[in-house]
Amino acid sequence: MLFLSTSTWQPENSQEVIDHFKKLRPPAGVNIKNQWVDISGGRYFILYETEDSKAFAEFNLPWSDVCFIDSCPVMESTEFVKLMSSREG
């Protein structure tokens, strides 16, 4: 399953967040698809895939001391349209 996470942090935590990024190593079972940084500051976006709830937690929990993470499962819009079309009777 694909997840899109948005991490936000307070300006005073910027250096700690940068230090975390330098050490970013996803656990087994997490496949990072892409990452983006809001160049105006304070936000980071990451798209990754995992089927393992333990790996999901291992990937996200270490950040909880320096930022807030909002994650949601996502799918490509073409796949969503196919799914919804197949449900129509």
Side-chain angles (χ1 to χ4, degrees):
M1 180 175 290
L2 286 174
F3 290 90
L4 180 63
S5 292
T6 303
S7 300
T8 55
W9 58 89
Q10 297 298 317
E12 61 268 17
N13 292 335
S14 292
Q15 189 57 52
E16 288 180 82
V17 171
I18 289 168
D19 292 343
H20 272 280
F21 280 124
K22 289 178 182 178
K23 300 175 201 170
L24 178 64
R25 303 289 182 272
V30 171
N31 180 21
I32 295 175
K33 299 294 191 177
N34 214 331
Q35 307 169 67
W36 304 269
V37 175
D38 178 350
I39 58 175
S40 64
R43 287 191 302 177
Y44 167 73
F45 308 91
I46 184 168
L47 179 67
Y48 59 97
E49 187 172 26
T50 187
E51 299 297 330
D52 182 352
S53 58
K54 182 179 176 192
F56 177 90
E58 288 175 2
F59 188 53
N60 286 292
L61 287 176
W63 294 85
S64 62
D65 62 333
V66 294
C67 61
F68 174 77
I69 300 173
D70 183 21
S71 295
C72 63
V74 296
M75 70 173 35
E76 292 184 25
S77 58
T78 54
E79 292 300 314
F80 180 75
V81 169
K82 286 180 193 176
L83 175 67
M84 298 314 294
S85 295
S86 70
R87 297 176 56 105
E88 293 178 1

